[in-house]
PDB file of all heavy atoms in Angstrom:
ATOM      1  N   ALA A   1       4.197  -7.294  -4.273  1.00 95.00           N
ATOM      2  CA  ALA A   1       5.576  -7.852  -4.006  1.00 95.00           C
ATOM      3  C   ALA A   1       6.118  -7.268  -2.789  1.00 95.00           C
ATOM      4  O   ALA A   1       6.859  -7.921  -1.965  1.00 95.00           O
ATOM      5  CB  ALA A   1       6.437  -7.580  -5.227  1.00 95.00           C
ATOM      6  N   LEU A   2       5.903  -5.963  -2.563  1.00 95.00           N
ATOM      7  CA  LEU A   2       6.437  -5.261  -1.444  1.00 95.00           C
ATOM      8  C   LEU A   2       5.854  -5.716  -0.121  1.00 95.00           C
ATOM      9  O   LEU A   2       6.476  -5.686   0.964  1.00 95.00           O
ATOM     10  CB  LEU A   2       6.204  -3.715  -1.491  1.00 95.00           C
ATOM     11  CG  LEU A   2       7.151  -2.827  -0.773  1.00 95.00           C
ATOM     12  CD1 LEU A   2       8.562  -2.885  -1.121  1.00 95.00           C
ATOM     13  CD2 LEU A   2       6.681  -1.331  -0.992  1.00 95.00           C
ATOM     14  N   SER A   3       4.593  -6.233  -0.206  1.00 96.00           N
ATOM     15  CA  SER A   3       3.958  -6.692   1.003  1.00 96.00           C
ATOM     16  C   SER A   3       4.553  -7.937   1.613  1.00 96.00           C
ATOM     17  O   SER A   3       4.230  -8.309   2.795  1.00 96.00           O
ATOM     18  CB  SER A   3       2.488  -7.124   0.669  1.00 96.00           C
ATOM     19  OG  SER A   3       2.435  -8.231  -0.180  1.00 96.00           O
ATOM     20  N   LYS A   4       5.450  -8.561   0.913  1.00 94.00           N
ATOM     21  CA  LYS A   4       6.188  -9.722   1.499  1.00 94.00           C
ATOM     22  C   LYS A   4       7.504  -9.363   2.140  1.00 94.00           C
ATOM     23  O   LYS A   4       8.174 -10.304   2.523  1.00 94.00           O
ATOM     24  CB  LYS A   4       6.461 -10.726   0.276  1.00 94.00           C
ATOM     25  CG  LYS A   4       5.141 -11.128  -0.492  1.00 94.00           C
ATOM     26  CD  LYS A   4       5.501 -11.956  -1.610  1.00 94.00           C
ATOM     27  CE  LYS A   4       4.183 -12.397  -2.490  1.00 94.00           C
ATOM     28  NZ  LYS A   4       4.471 -13.117  -3.716  1.00 94.00           N
ATOM     29  N   ASP A   5       7.872  -8.137   2.172  1.00 92.00           N
ATOM     30  CA  ASP A   5       9.171  -7.666   2.644  1.00 92.00           C
ATOM     31  C   ASP A   5       9.167  -7.055   4.020  1.00 92.00           C
ATOM     32  O   ASP A   5      10.229  -6.467   4.442  1.00 92.00           O
ATOM     33  CB  ASP A   5       9.795  -6.705   1.704  1.00 92.00           C
ATOM     34  CG  ASP A   5      10.069  -7.313   0.268  1.00 92.00           C
ATOM     35  OD1 ASP A   5      10.157  -8.561   0.268  1.00 92.00           O
ATOM     36  OD2 ASP A   5      10.156  -6.590  -0.712  1.00 92.00           O
ATOM     37  N   ASN A   6       8.038  -7.170   4.744  1.00 88.00           N
ATOM     38  CA  ASN A   6       7.973  -6.590   6.134  1.00 88.00           C
ATOM     39  C   ASN A   6       8.433  -5.119   6.185  1.00 88.00           C
ATOM     40  O   ASN A   6       9.340  -4.831   6.941  1.00 88.00           O
ATOM     41  CB  ASN A   6       8.805  -7.474   7.082  1.00 88.00           C
ATOM     42  CG  ASN A   6       8.360  -8.894   7.059  1.00 88.00           C
ATOM     43  OD1 ASN A   6       7.180  -9.225   7.268  1.00 88.00           O
ATOM     44  ND2 ASN A   6       9.404  -9.860   7.063  1.00 88.00           N
ATOM     45  N   VAL A   7       7.745  -4.251   5.418  1.00 95.00           N
ATOM     46  CA  VAL A   7       8.261  -2.971   5.280  1.00 95.00           C
ATOM     47  C   VAL A   7       7.599  -1.970   6.340  1.00 95.00           C
ATOM     48  O   VAL A   7       8.124  -0.843   6.622  1.00 95.00           O
ATOM     49  CB  VAL A   7       7.971  -2.306   3.873  1.00 95.00           C
ATOM     50  CG1 VAL A   7       8.810  -3.073   2.827  1.00 95.00           C
ATOM     51  CG2 VAL A   7       6.502  -2.376   3.599  1.00 95.00           C
ATOM     52  N   ASN A   8       6.504  -2.356   7.075  1.00 96.00           N
ATOM     53  CA  ASN A   8       5.903  -1.656   8.063  1.00 96.00           C
ATOM     54  C   ASN A   8       5.514  -0.280   7.637  1.00 96.00           C
ATOM     55  O   ASN A   8       5.852   0.776   8.104  1.00 96.00           O
ATOM     56  CB  ASN A   8       6.809  -1.534   9.361  1.00 96.00           C
ATOM     57  CG  ASN A   8       7.045  -2.766  10.005  1.00 96.00           C
ATOM     58  OD1 ASN A   8       6.237  -3.652  10.091  1.00 96.00           O
ATOM     59  ND2 ASN A   8       8.245  -3.141  10.362  1.00 96.00           N
ATOM     60  N   MET A   9       4.768  -0.199   6.532  1.00 97.00           N
ATOM     61  CA  MET A   9       4.267   1.039   5.924  1.00 97.00           C
ATOM     62  C   MET A   9       3.346   1.808   6.860  1.00 97.00           C
ATOM     63  O   MET A   9       2.484   1.065   7.550  1.00 97.00           O
ATOM     64  CB  MET A   9       3.487   0.753   4.627  1.00 97.00           C
ATOM     65  CG  MET A   9       2.866   1.866   3.871  1.00 97.00           C
ATOM     66  SD  MET A   9       1.977   1.451   2.351  1.00 97.00           S
ATOM     67  CE  MET A   9       3.322   0.941   1.359  1.00 97.00           C
ATOM     68  N   LYS A  10       3.378   3.108   6.822  1.00 97.00           N
ATOM     69  CA  LYS A  10       2.474   3.867   7.635  1.00 97.00           C
ATOM     70  C   LYS A  10       1.095   3.917   6.884  1.00 97.00           C
ATOM     71  O   LYS A  10       1.049   3.943   5.631  1.00 97.00           O
ATOM     72  CB  LYS A  10       2.997   5.286   7.856  1.00 97.00           C
ATOM     73  CG  LYS A  10       4.260   5.253   8.697  1.00 97.00           C
ATOM     74  CD  LYS A  10       4.716   6.683   8.911  1.00 97.00           C
ATOM     75  CE  LYS A  10       6.008   6.766   9.682  1.00 97.00           C
ATOM     76  NZ  LYS A  10       6.599   8.149   9.842  1.00 97.00           N
ATOM     77  N   VAL A  11      -0.039   4.018   7.667  1.00 97.00           N
ATOM     78  CA  VAL A  11      -1.351   4.167   7.011  1.00 97.00           C
ATOM     79  C   VAL A  11      -1.437   5.475   6.211  1.00 97.00           C
ATOM     80  O   VAL A  11      -2.084   5.498   5.168  1.00 97.00           O
ATOM     81  CB  VAL A  11      -2.394   4.064   8.109  1.00 97.00           C
ATOM     82  CG1 VAL A  11      -3.769   4.318   7.408  1.00 97.00           C
ATOM     83  CG2 VAL A  11      -2.386   2.740   8.832  1.00 97.00           C
ATOM     84  N   SER A  12      -0.742   6.432   6.608  1.00 95.00           N
ATOM     85  CA  SER A  12      -0.745   7.739   5.902  1.00 95.00           C
ATOM     86  C   SER A  12      -0.102   7.551   4.554  1.00 95.00           C
ATOM     87  O   SER A  12      -0.509   8.181   3.605  1.00 95.00           O
ATOM     88  CB  SER A  12       0.014   8.800   6.652  1.00 95.00           C
ATOM     89  OG  SER A  12       1.317   8.461   6.911  1.00 95.00           O
ATOM     90  N   THR A  13       0.858   6.645   4.340  1.00 96.00           N
ATOM     91  CA  THR A  13       1.422   6.295   3.144  1.00 96.00           C
ATOM     92  C   THR A  13       0.497   5.455   2.304  1.00 96.00           C
ATOM     93  O   THR A  13       0.319   5.627   1.052  1.00 96.00           O
ATOM     94  CB  THR A  13       2.790   5.585   3.295  1.00 96.00           C
ATOM     95  OG1 THR A  13       3.676   6.400   4.011  1.00 96.00           O
ATOM     96  CG2 THR A  13       3.423   5.241   1.896  1.00 96.00           C
ATOM     97  N   LEU A  14      -0.135   4.516   2.867  1.00 97.00           N
ATOM     98  CA  LEU A  14      -1.225   3.710   2.249  1.00 97.00           C
ATOM     99  C   LEU A  14      -2.245   4.529   1.587  1.00 97.00           C
ATOM    100  O   LEU A  14      -2.710   4.241   0.486  1.00 97.00           O
ATOM    101  CB  LEU A  14      -1.785   2.703   3.281  1.00 97.00           C
ATOM    102  CG  LEU A  14      -2.751   1.664   2.716  1.00 97.00           C
ATOM    103  CD1 LEU A  14      -1.901   0.545   1.982  1.00 97.00           C
ATOM    104  CD2 LEU A  14      -3.612   1.110   3.843  1.00 97.00           C
ATOM    105  N   MET A  15      -2.646   5.549   2.236  1.00 96.00           N
ATOM    106  CA  MET A  15      -3.803   6.427   1.793  1.00 96.00           C
ATOM    107  C   MET A  15      -3.332   7.259   0.550  1.00 96.00           C
ATOM    108  O   MET A  15      -4.219   7.739  -0.199  1.00 96.00           O
ATOM    109  CB  MET A  15      -4.285   7.374   2.864  1.00 96.00           C
ATOM    110  CG  MET A  15      -5.002   6.691   3.955  1.00 96.00           C
ATOM    111  SD  MET A  15      -5.678   7.878   5.186  1.00 96.00           S
ATOM    112  CE  MET A  15      -6.921   8.571   4.225  1.00 96.00           C
ATOM    113  N   LYS A  16      -2.010   7.404   0.314  1.00 95.00           N
ATOM    114  CA  LYS A  16      -1.579   8.212  -0.753  1.00 95.00           C
ATOM    115  C   LYS A  16      -1.223   7.356  -1.953  1.00 95.00           C
ATOM    116  O   LYS A  16      -0.758   7.878  -2.987  1.00 95.00           O
ATOM    117  CB  LYS A  16      -0.339   9.039  -0.334  1.00 95.00           C
ATOM    118  CG  LYS A  16      -0.572  10.036   0.764  1.00 95.00           C
ATOM    119  CD  LYS A  16       0.616  10.763   1.224  1.00 95.00           C
ATOM    120  CE  LYS A  16       0.364  11.669   2.305  1.00 95.00           C
ATOM    121  NZ  LYS A  16       1.658  12.356   2.816  1.00 95.00           N
ATOM    122  N   LEU A  17      -1.507   6.070  -1.904  1.00 97.00           N
ATOM    123  CA  LEU A  17      -1.229   5.165  -2.972  1.00 97.00           C
ATOM    124  C   LEU A  17      -2.159   5.429  -4.123  1.00 97.00           C
ATOM    125  O   LEU A  17      -3.154   6.027  -3.928  1.00 97.00           O
ATOM    126  CB  LEU A  17      -1.323   3.683  -2.637  1.00 97.00           C
ATOM    127  CG  LEU A  17      -0.324   3.161  -1.497  1.00 97.00           C
ATOM    128  CD1 LEU A  17      -0.707   1.725  -1.222  1.00 97.00           C
ATOM    129  CD2 LEU A  17       1.129   3.370  -1.903  1.00 97.00           C
ATOM    130  N   ARG A  18      -1.731   5.048  -5.278  1.00 96.00           N
ATOM    131  CA  ARG A  18      -2.707   5.111  -6.511  1.00 96.00           C
ATOM    132  C   ARG A  18      -3.989   4.436  -6.068  1.00 96.00           C
ATOM    133  O   ARG A  18      -3.954   3.296  -5.550  1.00 96.00           O
ATOM    134  CB  ARG A  18      -2.002   4.583  -7.699  1.00 96.00           C
ATOM    135  CG  ARG A  18      -1.307   5.436  -8.629  1.00 96.00           C
ATOM    136  CD  ARG A  18      -0.565   4.861  -9.705  1.00 96.00           C
ATOM    137  NE  ARG A  18      -1.224   3.719 -10.316  1.00 96.00           N
ATOM    138  CZ  ARG A  18      -0.762   3.036 -11.371  1.00 96.00           C
ATOM    139  NH1 ARG A  18       0.476   3.364 -11.804  1.00 96.00           N
ATOM    140  NH2 ARG A  18      -1.426   2.099 -11.934  1.00 96.00           N
ATOM    141  N   ARG A  19      -5.121   5.022  -6.502  1.00 96.00           N
ATOM    142  CA  ARG A  19      -6.350   4.417  -6.050  1.00 96.00           C
ATOM    143  C   ARG A  19      -6.564   3.005  -6.677  1.00 96.00           C
ATOM    144  O   ARG A  19      -7.028   2.052  -6.000  1.00 96.00           O
ATOM    145  CB  ARG A  19      -7.516   5.365  -6.545  1.00 96.00           C
ATOM    146  CG  ARG A  19      -8.929   4.869  -6.085  1.00 96.00           C
ATOM    147  CD  ARG A  19      -9.985   5.810  -6.587  1.00 96.00           C
ATOM    148  NE  ARG A  19     -11.240   5.383  -6.071  1.00 96.00           N
ATOM    149  CZ  ARG A  19     -11.798   5.634  -4.933  1.00 96.00           C
ATOM    150  NH1 ARG A  19     -11.096   6.484  -4.161  1.00 96.00           N
ATOM    151  NH2 ARG A  19     -12.965   5.248  -4.427  1.00 96.00           N
ATOM    152  N   ASP A  20      -6.185   2.817  -7.940  1.00 97.00           N
ATOM    153  CA  ASP A  20      -6.368   1.529  -8.543  1.00 97.00           C
ATOM    154  C   ASP A  20      -5.485   0.461  -7.977  1.00 97.00           C
ATOM    155  O   ASP A  20      -5.796  -0.677  -7.928  1.00 97.00           O
ATOM    156  CB  ASP A  20      -6.217   1.604 -10.098  1.00 97.00           C
ATOM    157  CG  ASP A  20      -4.778   1.992 -10.431  1.00 97.00           C
ATOM    158  OD1 ASP A  20      -4.243   2.933  -9.696  1.00 97.00           O
ATOM    159  OD2 ASP A  20      -4.299   1.640 -11.475  1.00 97.00           O
ATOM    160  N   SER A  21      -4.271   0.863  -7.538  1.00 98.00           N
ATOM    161  CA  SER A  21      -3.276   0.028  -6.929  1.00 98.00           C
ATOM    162  C   SER A  21      -3.813  -0.343  -5.545  1.00 98.00           C
ATOM    163  O   SER A  21      -3.775  -1.550  -5.189  1.00 98.00           O
ATOM    164  CB  SER A  21      -1.979   0.683  -6.782  1.00 98.00           C
ATOM    165  OG  SER A  21      -1.396   1.056  -8.007  1.00 98.00           O
ATOM    166  N   LEU A  22      -4.357   0.597  -4.751  1.00 98.00           N
ATOM    167  CA  LEU A  22      -4.898   0.198  -3.438  1.00 98.00           C
ATOM    168  C   LEU A  22      -6.006  -0.758  -3.525  1.00 98.00           C
ATOM    169  O   LEU A  22      -6.128  -1.722  -2.859  1.00 98.00           O
ATOM    170  CB  LEU A  22      -5.297   1.525  -2.701  1.00 98.00           C
ATOM    171  CG  LEU A  22      -6.008   1.253  -1.337  1.00 98.00           C
ATOM    172  CD1 LEU A  22      -5.098   0.543  -0.375  1.00 98.00           C
ATOM    173  CD2 LEU A  22      -6.474   2.609  -0.810  1.00 98.00           C
ATOM    174  N   MET A  23      -6.934  -0.502  -4.495  1.00 98.00           N
ATOM    175  CA  MET A  23      -8.156  -1.299  -4.622  1.00 98.00           C
ATOM    176  C   MET A  23      -7.800  -2.775  -5.067  1.00 98.00           C
ATOM    177  O   MET A  23      -8.569  -3.576  -4.951  1.00 98.00           O
ATOM    178  CB  MET A  23      -9.152  -0.716  -5.581  1.00 98.00           C
ATOM    179  CG  MET A  23      -9.727   0.731  -5.205  1.00 98.00           C
ATOM    180  SD  MET A  23     -10.421   0.671  -3.470  1.00 98.00           S
ATOM    181  CE  MET A  23     -10.314   2.430  -3.050  1.00 98.00           C
ATOM    182  N   SER A  24      -6.663  -2.945  -5.649  1.00 97.00           N
ATOM    183  CA  SER A  24      -6.219  -4.229  -6.126  1.00 97.00           C
ATOM    184  C   SER A  24      -5.643  -5.136  -5.016  1.00 97.00           C
ATOM    185  O   SER A  24      -5.442  -6.335  -5.201  1.00 97.00           O
ATOM    186  CB  SER A  24      -5.226  -4.127  -7.238  1.00 97.00           C
ATOM    187  OG  SER A  24      -3.966  -3.694  -6.770  1.00 97.00           O
ATOM    188  N   LEU A  25      -5.391  -4.531  -3.832  1.00 98.00           N
ATOM    189  CA  LEU A  25      -4.781  -5.315  -2.699  1.00 98.00           C
ATOM    190  C   LEU A  25      -5.737  -6.138  -1.904  1.00 98.00           C
ATOM    191  O   LEU A  25      -6.880  -5.495  -1.593  1.00 98.00           O
ATOM    192  CB  LEU A  25      -4.074  -4.251  -1.883  1.00 98.00           C
ATOM    193  CG  LEU A  25      -2.950  -3.438  -2.484  1.00 98.00           C
ATOM    194  CD1 LEU A  25      -2.296  -2.455  -1.460  1.00 98.00           C
ATOM    195  CD2 LEU A  25      -1.731  -4.365  -2.951  1.00 98.00           C
ATOM    196  N   THR A  26      -5.407  -7.268  -1.498  1.00 98.00           N
ATOM    197  CA  THR A  26      -6.262  -8.065  -0.579  1.00 98.00           C
ATOM    198  C   THR A  26      -6.009  -7.570   0.836  1.00 98.00           C
ATOM    199  O   THR A  26      -4.977  -7.058   1.148  1.00 98.00           O
ATOM    200  CB  THR A  26      -5.980  -9.435  -0.762  1.00 98.00           C
ATOM    201  OG1 THR A  26      -4.604  -9.785  -0.360  1.00 98.00           O
ATOM    202  CG2 THR A  26      -6.179  -9.949  -2.255  1.00 98.00           C
TER     203      THR A  26
END
């Protein structure tokens, strides 16, 4: 849902996401 909000996340934040959550993203 957040991916639709133009949040401009840093890659360093992406790497700290829950592993199962990251793997579920397209």
